[in-house]
Every structure is written in structure tokens, then in C-alpha cells.
Amino acid sequence: MEFLRSEQTLNQIERWKLERHPLDVRQAVIDRYAAEGPQAIGAVAGEAERLKWVGLYPQRQGGDAFMLRIKIPGGRLRAGQARVIGELAGEFARGPAPNPVFGQGFLDLTTRQDIQLHWLRIGDVPEVWRRLEAVGVTTIQACGDSARNVLCCPVAGLDADEVVDAYPVARAISDYFTGNREYANLPRKFKMSVTGCREDCANAEINDVGLWPARLADGAVGFNLLVGGGLSDGPRMASDIDVSVRPDQAVELTRAIAQLFGELGDRENRWTCRMRYLVQELGPEGFREELQRRAAFPLSTAGETLTRRHRGDHVGVHRQKQPGLNYVGLSVTVGRMPGRNLVEAARLADEHGSGELRLSTDQNLILAGVPEERLEGLLAEPLLREHSPAPGPFERGAVACTGSEFCRFAIVETKARAATLARWLDRHVEPAGEDVIRLHFSGCSASCAQPQIADIGFRGEVAHRGHEIVEAVDIGLGGSLGTEAAFIDFVEGAKPLDEVPEALARLLARYRAERGHDERFHQWCRRAGGASLRETIQEDTPREAG
């Protein structure tokens, strides 16, 4: 793959990637850095950047403290794999002091169906890799400017109403790109989503490539293609470029898109190098033309899109398409759980279910294949008191990024704050008929917690209170995907965090009083309008959550 924008001046990261292929860093970790320590990494220009290609990030604490991201294609884990990951968290993810809320040895489930471990020492990484790879799990390209984890509906193959089981397609795409050196140096991260369900569970509109279900011209089922979605600064819904694809064409189509992005993408400005900017530059028709030049088959026009809505989550007990079987979605508040709890979930998957666990895009966990006669026993297990299948609507919908605890870009702490706030709201706010209120908390504008698509979205900020600078958030309302896709309206800026609980309580009381029959929170927010919502949020009755 060649760079076709010869007029560009490559940025420093691009020059580092050309000096040595990023995937070569794996062997350097094993042969050198594990023995010599983090100072050896710092002695090699660009090496900390290359570490991302094997799933490693230096934590904000610096020194010998790393985050390791584990890639789980489509969010699907066998019990034995989950058990090993949980054991590794308990053994190696241990900081100098326990987190006051979450303790030691925890792991984070992410919005891309990955798992993250914190506080790893570089000397332990080869052993962690060895144990992961022994059960068929990898960290290759979990980060870096390449194909990230491929999303899929977490209940693919189980959902009675799905159009097509898309997991084999998602897995084939993941297998093609993982470790593929030809496509491992793209201008920026490359995010793909494949789903055959009707409820947009894999967030197609906010991925670089989204495949969602469609009925094709000949009556067969396949996917329609969306390209160029994303959040962070400059959020954009993906464009429909009038292309349909059959399941057996999906790997070649995504390969051709990666080639297009690699050849025409911006490698000069790291702020505008995401694929969504290339789609904007070329326009949908221009992008389609460039894609046709690179695809190995003629592009077909789009079929009938079969997506009906955006689903909040898969928490609770649900019947599978397989007679007599159920899947049970467990709420993992803000995605953080002790490693021992994942080990226990693996035991429950073996004892009560099919031995399979699924990770969802809202940081929750699903146990699959539970026979009717085993359901009562599963629901009585102690773990389900901590990770409930029937939580309150706010705790159920709480999503949070890593935050300032570990991330160098975050402005505020997110995990403990979001969990505390959600639990406070569940105690103090009367429900308004909703099973879930999606409350997403990002520590900065990078949008790792996807606040722009939430019912209530927070973005970390600071505020001036007298002579003090305090942690704060921008507050946005009314986001959704699916047939009613729209980003939130940020109605309030830099609200001090200790004023947020009462502000939301006022807002939610107004929603309860004004909502129409079956009107969802995001629908009411859009009807009420940003100026009116801002007035409610800005009333001064602060009280700290606890």
C-alpha cells in the first residue's frame, strides 16, 4: 500500500512508523524491555507510540505502569478465556495502593467490547501474553493506527429477531486484519462495526465502517454500508454511500476501504487524520468511486435497511431463538469489576449456561445459553447481587471512560464519580417508566465513553468558583442512534460536579411531569429544547452526592 498524497509532510508519528514497523515492538518487549524496564523503551525514539500496536499504553503515573487492552472480537468469550483474564487481573493489575471505591485487581469492560487491565509492569507483560495466547486471546492491534476491535451485536446468533447472525462476518474481518502488516499502518485508528440485528446494538453510525442489516435487491439478506462516523472533536454520523454487501464479500469490502484510507488519508495533521474527514473531503459519491477502484467486485446499490431502533442494552433475562434457552445480561456498573468476579462469571457460564460469555458495547456482561431449568439457580447466585440483571435505570445505563485515574488526557476522574452519581440518582429520583437512562461520562473531549449518543452525556471540564478551580462537566442531553439518530445538545458548560446531582434531579422531575405517553427521555429533551433545559439545570440548589 502506497501513500498517494505526495504533497503531505508526514507528522512525527508517521515518520516513526516508517522507521520501524510498529508490529515489531512485540519482540522488543519480550527480548529487551521486559528485562531492562521502561527506561529502555524511552531510549528508543517512537517506541512508546509503537507499544499501542500490541495493546500497551503508559499510564499517566509514568514509570513502570502500563495499561494493557485485550482484544475480544465481537465481544465473545469462552468461559476458559474469561477465567484466565480474570485471574490475570487479580494477579498483575495491582497498583501501589487500592482504589478507594474499586480496590485492587480489577478490570474494565470497554465500549468496544475489549477488556483493559491497569498497573501492569513491563516485566510481567510476556507472561501475561503467554497465558492469554494459550487460550486463543490476543492484544495485537487493540490500539494503534490500525484496525481496532471489530464490534458485533453481543447477542448475535441468540436474538430471535435478528436478520442474520453477523458474528462469523465480524470474526472473519478481525482475523484478516489482526497481524496483517500490510494494513497495520493506517493514518489513524480504524474502527469497524458489523451487526445483523434490527436494533443497532453495534453502533454502526459512529464507526469508520458500519455494516448493518439490509434486504438486498434479489431478496437475500446482507448489509448496507455506512462510512465515516465518529465522535471525539468533530463528531459525525456515518454516511450511507449506497452500497450493499453480501456476508461473503465483507472481508474484501473492508480491505478495500482500509486501502483507500491508507492511500488517501491525512498523514500530516493528527487532528484531521480520522477517516470521517476523508469522507467529508471526498463526499459520499467521491468516496464510493474511490472504493470501487479498489474493490475486487462491482459495488451493488444499497438494499432496504432493516434497522428499527437503537437498543439501550441487553441487561435482564431474555429468551433466545433456541427453544428453552435464555441469555442473562448482568449490569457491570461503569464496566469495572474485580478480576475474581470475572472468574466467578466464567464458573456460572459453565455451570448454568453454554460456557460462553458476551461483552456488550455498553460495558456490561451477558451469560448465554441458560436452560429454563437452570435459570432460577443462576439468578440466586451471589454474584448477581453485585452485578444485577435488574438494576435501577441510572446504574444500569452508566458508562464511563478510564478518566484521570489512568489517562493522560482526561481532566476529571470518571469511574467512581459516574458510579456514585448513578447510585445517588437511583436512590433519590422517582422512576419515570424507563428501564434505562443512558448516562455516559467522558473525562475529556476524546469521547471514549461516547457521551454524544447518551440520554445524558458528560464531558470533563474545570470551573472557577471564587479563587478555586474545581472539577466540572459539560452537560449534554438527548442523544441516540438508530432510526432517531442525533447527537446530544450540550446545554450547559463547566457545571461544578458537586452541583450536578441536584441539577439532574430537577431535570428528571420535570421529565416525569411533562413526558407524553411512551415518550422516551431523548425524545422529550428534543421536544423541550436546549434553552429550556438549560434553565432547569442552572437553578441553584447545590447538594453534594453521597
Side-chain angles (χ1 to χ4, degrees):
M1 184 167 54
E2 59 180 331
F3 306 161
L4 300 185
R5 291 195 171 198
S6 57
E7 78 282 1
Q8 291 189 109
T9 300
L10 297 182
N11 63 56
Q12 179 60 72
I13 290 175
E14 290 296 330
R15 295 197 296 273
W16 283 333
K17 289 190 289 181
L18 287 180
E19 288 170 6
R20 189 159 69 92
H21 197 287
L23 288 177
D24 290 342
V25 78
R26 171 185 160 84
Q27 202 57 44
V29 171
I30 295 170
D31 293 343
R32 182 181 174 194
Y33 305 141
E36 298 181 19
Q39 63 276 8
I41 299 170
V44 179
E47 204 71 338
E49 185 69 25
R50 295 185 192 97
L51 287 176
K52 296 176 183 178
W53 272 255
V54 291
L56 284 166
Y57 273 91
Q59 286 181 187
R60 75 176 303 151
Q61 290 83 1
D64 199 2
F66 293 84
M67 180 272 281
L68 180 68
R69 184 176 295 153
I70 301 167
K71 195 172 184 178
I72 315 293
R76 195 172 295 196
L77 281 172
R78 298 189 304 274
Q81 294 172 322
R83 186 175 298 110
V84 167
I85 294 170
E87 289 170 349
L88 289 171
E91 186 174 344
F92 294 106
R94 309 189 73 83
N99 179 292
V101 174
F102 301 105
Q104 290 274 29
F106 54 76
L107 55 88
D108 289 340
L109 311 182
T110 81
T111 56
R112 289 207 69 80
Q113 299 174 302
D114 294 308
I115 295 177
Q116 294 181 172
L117 307 182
H118 297 283
W119 292 115
L120 265 67
R121 296 171 176 82
I122 197 67
D124 293 327
V125 169
E127 173 63 11
V128 171
W129 282 343
R130 186 191 67 77
R131 286 159 66 172
L132 289 174
E133 290 161 9
V135 291
V137 176
T138 187
T139 68
I140 296 294
Q141 290 163 266
C143 319
D145 297 342
S146 61
R148 299 291 184 93
N149 199 36
V150 180
L151 299 185
C152 190
C153 172
V155 293
L158 310 180
D159 177 16
D161 197 34
E162 71 182 357
V163 176
V164 58
D165 180 358
Y167 177 75
V169 176
R171 185 72 207 213
I173 293 171
S174 179
D175 289 346
Y176 178 80
F177 282 100
T178 301
N180 188 331
R181 296 172 71 89
E182 185 174 358
Y183 295 96
N185 177 8
L186 297 174
R188 201 68 165 83
K189 63 185 76 171
F190 185 56
K191 296 183 175 181
M192 292 178 281
S193 163
V194 186
T195 185
C197 79
R198 299 175 186 266
E199 299 179 311
D200 199 17
C201 299
N203 301 344
E205 305 98 315
I206 58 169
N207 277 265
D208 296 301
V209 178
L211 297 177
W212 59 359
R215 189 165 304 284
L216 309 184
D218 62 359
V221 292
F223 308 98
N224 279 348
L225 171 65
L226 302 177
V227 296
L231 299 179
S232 191
D233 295 317
R236 184 182 189 278
M237 292 288 182
S239 295
D240 184 334
I241 63 168
D242 192 24
V243 171
S244 64
V245 58
R246 299 178 186 278
D248 61 357
Q249 296 173 319
V251 172
E252 167 58 17
L253 183 78
T254 54
R255 183 214 61 78
I257 296 172
Q259 180 186 347
L260 193 169
F261 183 36
E263 291 176 347
L264 299 185
D266 184 353
R267 294 179 182 268
E268 182 170 357
N269 186 343
R270 291 289 287 182
W271 294 105
T272 58
C273 58
R274 291 293 302 271
M275 200 178 87
R276 62 180 179 270
Y277 295 105
L278 179 61
V279 174
Q280 284 180 309
E281 178 185 347
L282 296 175
E285 292 183 0
F287 192 93
R288 192 186 197 281
E289 290 173 5
E290 292 290 348
L291 179 58
Q292 181 61 88
R293 292 190 180 102
R294 294 162 174 82
F297 54 85
L299 299 179
S300 300
T301 57
E304 175 195 359
T305 295
L306 299 177
T307 297
R308 286 200 301 252
R309 69 181 181 115
H310 182 236
R311 183 169 183 153
D313 61 31
H314 295 82
V315 171
V317 178
H318 304 270
R319 293 193 181 279
Q320 295 180 194
K321 65 168 67 174
Q322 295 82 10
L325 296 181
N326 304 272
Y327 69 84
V328 180
L330 308 182
S331 177
V332 182
T333 308
V334 300
R336 181 163 287 180
M337 65 192 307
R340 65 179 179 275
N341 285 15
L342 187 59
V343 173
E344 177 65 1
R347 182 187 71 80
L348 299 184
D350 270 338
E351 185 171 321
H352 296 282
S354 64
E356 188 174 71
L357 303 91
R358 311 282 185 93
L359 311 181
S360 67
T361 57
D362 50 16
Q363 301 180 330
N364 290 317
L365 182 67
I366 296 163
L367 302 180
V370 181
E372 203 70 42
E373 62 272 17
R374 305 291 307 177
L375 191 56
E376 185 177 353
L378 172 62
L379 296 177
E381 291 281 358
L383 182 68
L384 274 68
R385 291 196 291 271
E386 188 169 350
H387 300 302
S388 173
F394 299 99
E395 190 167 1
R396 174 172 175 170
V399 171
C401 72
T402 298
S404 62
E405 180 183 9
F406 299 117
C407 177
R408 292 172 294 168
F409 302 108
I411 300 170
V412 300
E413 194 281 329
T414 56
K415 291 285 190 183
R417 286 191 181 279
T420 300
L421 174 61
R423 289 163 180 156
W424 187 91
L425 290 169
D426 278 329
R427 292 196 306 271
H428 292 87
V429 174
E430 183 181 341
E434 301 245 19
D435 293 327
V436 56
I437 298 287
R438 296 174 299 110
L439 192 157
H440 291 208
F441 196 145
S442 263
C444 72
S445 63
S447 302
C448 296
Q450 304 171 339
Q452 290 96 330
I453 63 168
D455 291 313
I456 303 170
F458 296 141
R459 186 170 59 192
E461 260 292 356
V462 293
H464 293 272
R465 180 182 278 162
H467 298 294
E468 289 185 290
I469 295 177
V470 297
E471 289 190 336
V473 288
D474 300 331
I475 302 176
L477 301 169
S480 184
L481 292 178
T483 54
E484 298 180 317
F487 293 135
I488 57 172
D489 181 9
F490 276 103
V491 301
E492 173 71 333
K495 184 79 167 174
L497 276 161
D498 61 0
E499 297 177 14
V500 168
E502 286 289 356
L504 292 188
R506 291 192 301 272
L507 184 75
L508 291 157
R510 182 181 161 193
Y511 166 56
R512 190 170 61 252
E514 295 181 5
R515 74 188 293 252
H517 178 67
D518 288 337
E519 187 174 34
R520 308 295 290 176
F521 183 79
H522 72 272
Q523 295 169 331
W524 171 76
C525 287
R526 295 174 194 178
R527 178 169 65 85
S532 174
L533 299 173
R534 183 179 300 110
E535 289 179 3
T536 302
I537 287 175
Q538 287 179 343
E539 294 174 20
D540 293 325
T541 53
R543 187 173 77 193
E544 189 170 350

